[in-house]
Amino acid sequence: MRARPTTAAAVAAVLAAAALGLAPHQAQAAPAPAPAPAPAASPELRFHDIPGSGGITLKGNVFTPAGAEPGRKYPLIVLPTSWGMPQIEYIAQARKLADSGYVVVGYTSRGFWLSGGQIETAGPADVADVSAVIDWALATTPADPARIGLGGVSYGAGISLLASAHDPRVKAVVALSGWADLIESIYSGRTQHAQAAGLLGATGFLTGRPGPELQQILGDFLGSKLENEQAMIEWGRKHSASEQVDRINANGAAIMMGNAWGDTVFPPNQYAKFFEKLTGPKRLEFRPGDHATAEATGLLGLPNDTWTSAHRWFDRYLKGERNGVDTEAPVRIASRSGQGYEGYADWKSVGSGGTEKIALADSEHVFANVDSGANGGIVFLSSLLDQLAKAPPTASVPLLPRAFAAVWQSGRYAEERRVRGTVRLHTTVTPTKGDGTFVAYLYDVGPLGIGKLVSNAPYTFHGKTPGQSFGVDLDLFSTAYDVPAGHRLALVVDTVDPLYIEHNPAGAQLTFSSPRTDPSYVSVPLREQ
């Protein structure tokens, strides 16, 4: 198919050229300098209308290697765009991949911008689009049918994982800042992640055309329509790669996943659980940051560790290069405290130094519906500040109002504590109402009482008997954080956090106790010293 001569294509081409440093120079009145040596050939970029599934048109672009030889086949990489992003999202990385010998096809996911169809949130039509794009690329570019890879950030990552379950031609996947379990991502602890879902919904309406199913789900989810909860959960499962892990394993694609510890849209726990279920070649990388911030500089063409790993992964499993990526530790993490990268044989080994149990011996009673001042921050912004300036959300732990926040603290540590993995809370709750929400926070508390947020997680219950106790086991969001010597850890529990929708009736109260037969505690996984 020939390049489309539309205004949109022209605009996209100009933007792409600017991103790639190809903007034309202005004419000069001075005499022209002596001819410079001819520059090295660059990969060829063309914009195309690509037929998607169901007869729609997807807006895409194609890079082919410079000087592609007639009759020669090159490995293919397909890149579906992120939620709300146009087709030029991956231009910088696509060019680098083409420079190293790949055919690269990027396209705007259906329902967004100028691509046809409606937003279906990585539904069957989105998965079918990936196969349709592969078919088109094999028919119109020098792509090799035996060497096909998928990749993407956020929405593109989710689509790529799901597509690898349905198209056995896919040999390698790089899924960055994505989801494997949609329910665990935005409804963990049976609690709506309000800021994350609201941001996704607003972006969808601003940049695309949400389908009726998505509109219904968003309305039910943000409207707390509990009568439709099971339908929402079933919908989420149908859009989660974790429900199709057997098919992914059977197809055998090599899967690399990367995410940030502080991802407020797709927290890291669900990626780690999915990683453990994969049986083929696999790699998991966690770094400081928030949603898509770990790979953002790479999208601008700047040096970036995440994209360097992605290129090595494709080179190994699509080109067959012996670059060592398959012999390195499959799990690679970077501490939020900036101590460099650590390698582990699997996710279970991340907390291989054992666990420290902090007893929650004292009973605490809190009144609901009041924000104590402890919170998880603001979507995107807070974890980005942690990534760039080591400045996570903070709270003055001694000044937290005890009527609205339960607080337990460890003793001061004589040596540094390297928290690695998933902190777990076990406690007993007695409510005065049948429904309720609380949020648990783990803080690193310095000598002046200022607590830096280590991790957090929400928990919601419905249909409990007022006055009757029940046990709670809650996983906080996984992290890697170094607590300095002389500091202590504090667990704080309150009932209101702007990140989440809370379900506390007026006048509700919660009591957290530690029965002798079932003591309450926080289990903190540690790295070996």
Side-chain angles (χ1 to χ4, degrees):
M1 184 178 293
R2 294 189 307 169
R4 53 184 173 86
T6 63
T7 302
V11 172
V14 170
L15 291 173
L20 296 172
L22 302 177
H25 297 289
Q26 294 182 352
Q28 297 181 355
S42 298
E44 182 182 17
L45 168 64
R46 289 183 179 274
F47 292 86
H48 291 271
D49 290 338
I50 302 175
S53 65
I56 73 160
T57 297
L58 301 169
K59 300 300 182 179
N61 57 72
V62 179
F63 271 104
T64 53
E69 301 172 10
R72 181 180 173 183
K73 297 295 184 181
Y74 299 86
L76 168 67
I77 296 176
V78 175
L79 303 171
T81 58
S82 303
W83 186 271
M85 294 295 289
Q87 59 168 303
I88 62 170
E89 176 184 11
Y90 302 113
I91 286 287
Q93 287 302 319
R95 177 180 179 177
K96 290 184 177 182
L97 287 165
D99 271 332
S100 62
Y102 292 93
V103 173
V104 187
V105 180
Y107 70 92
T108 304
S109 299
R110 71 162 50 220
F112 288 102
W113 297 96
L114 298 178
S115 279
Q118 296 178 318
I119 303 172
E120 300 191 20
T121 323
D126 293 291
V127 172
D129 283 342
V130 173
S131 294
V133 171
I134 292 173
D135 292 341
W136 178 86
L138 294 177
T140 61
T141 74
D144 186 345
R147 297 183 292 169
I148 298 173
L150 303 177
V153 176
S154 187
Y155 191 49
I159 291 174
S160 295
L161 285 176
L162 284 160
S164 72
H166 293 271
D167 197 324
R169 296 175 295 180
V170 177
K171 305 304 180 186
V173 175
V174 171
L176 306 176
S177 292
W179 80 92
D181 187 329
L182 194 55
I183 297 302
E184 186 67 20
S185 294
I186 61 173
Y187 195 50
S188 68
R190 209 180 176 185
T191 308
Q192 299 104 312
H193 295 207
Q195 288 188 15
L199 180 63
L200 291 173
T203 304
F205 279 99
L206 286 172
T207 62
R209 301 166 300 282
E213 184 180 47
L214 175 57
Q215 294 186 47
Q216 177 71 43
I217 291 294
L218 276 173
D220 291 346
F221 185 81
L222 295 174
S224 299
K225 296 183 180 179
L226 193 61
E227 66 273 16
N228 295 334
E229 180 185 37
Q230 193 56 43
M232 288 187 282
I233 290 174
E234 290 301 321
W235 176 85
R237 287 174 176 166
K238 292 176 182 177
H239 297 254
S240 297
S242 59
E243 296 293 315
Q244 302 184 43
V245 67
D246 290 341
R247 296 184 64 167
I248 293 173
N249 287 333
N251 287 340
I255 308 290
M256 173 189 156
M257 299 184 295
N259 204 356
W261 294 119
D263 195 320
T264 45
V265 179
F266 303 129
N269 302 45
Q270 45 92 30
Y271 247 18
K273 292 177 183 177
F274 178 70
F275 173 83
E276 288 291 273
K277 296 177 182 178
L278 294 172
T279 58
K282 59 183 179 179
R283 185 177 178 94
L284 179 66
E285 299 187 353
F286 285 144
R287 297 176 173 83
D290 206 314
H291 184 64
T293 64
E295 52 271 359
T297 55
L299 292 175
L300 300 176
L302 301 175
N304 181 277
D305 286 349
T306 302
W307 283 104
T308 297
S309 290
H311 286 236
R312 294 179 66 216
W313 193 255
F314 283 135
D315 289 346
R316 175 66 187 92
Y317 290 102
L318 297 184
K319 289 184 177 179
E321 292 184 3
R322 297 290 179 178
N323 55 19
V325 72
D326 55 329
T327 62
E328 297 170 357
V331 176
R332 187 169 180 257
I333 68 173
S335 168
R336 290 165 50 200
S337 305
Q339 301 299 318
Y341 289 97
E342 304 164 5
Y344 298 89
D346 52 33
W347 177 248
K348 296 176 184 177
S349 301
V350 171
S352 57
T355 59
E356 176 181 352
K357 284 190 175 181
I358 302 173
L360 310 181
D362 298 329
S363 178
E364 296 281 349
H365 183 86
V366 298
F367 293 87
N369 301 306
V370 176
D371 189 343
S372 70
N375 64 70
I378 301 172
V379 66
F380 283 120
L381 178 61
S382 296
S383 293
L384 179 61
L385 289 174
D386 185 33
Q387 175 187 355
L388 299 178
K390 303 292 187 294
T394 61
S396 177
V397 174
L399 297 181
L400 292 174
R402 294 310 197 261
F404 309 116
V407 180
W408 298 267
Q409 296 190 74
S410 71
R412 295 194 184 278
Y413 295 118
E415 297 179 344
E416 180 183 59
R417 288 292 193 276
R418 299 178 180 178
V419 181
R420 297 290 185 275
T422 306
V423 175
R424 294 181 170 90
L425 167 65
H426 174 75
T427 190
T428 296
V429 180
T430 306
T432 61
K433 305 287 185 178
D435 301 329
T437 297
F438 66 84
V439 184
Y441 311 89
L442 187 69
Y443 283 101
D444 159 27
V445 184
L448 299 179
I450 302 300
K452 295 183 177 181
L453 187 65
V454 177
S455 185
N456 77 101
Y459 184 90
T460 294
F461 58 89
H462 296 289
K464 297 296 184 180
T465 302
Q468 183 172 319
S469 301
F470 61 94
V472 170
D473 288 289
L474 176 63
D475 286 357
L476 276 62
F477 301 135
S478 302
T479 194
Y481 184 96
D482 300 327
V483 181
H487 289 213
R488 67 179 77 207
L489 286 170
L491 180 80
V492 176
V493 178
D494 74 359
T495 62
V496 176
D497 189 311
L499 285 173
Y500 313 113
I501 292 178
E502 52 93 4
H503 296 265
N504 296 298
Q509 303 172 40
L510 300 175
T511 299
F512 299 89
S513 58
S514 182
R516 182 178 302 175
T517 57
D518 186 20
S520 295
Y521 61 85
V522 171
S523 177
V524 181
L526 302 173
R527 178 191 174 190
E528 291 182 1
Q529 296 292 333

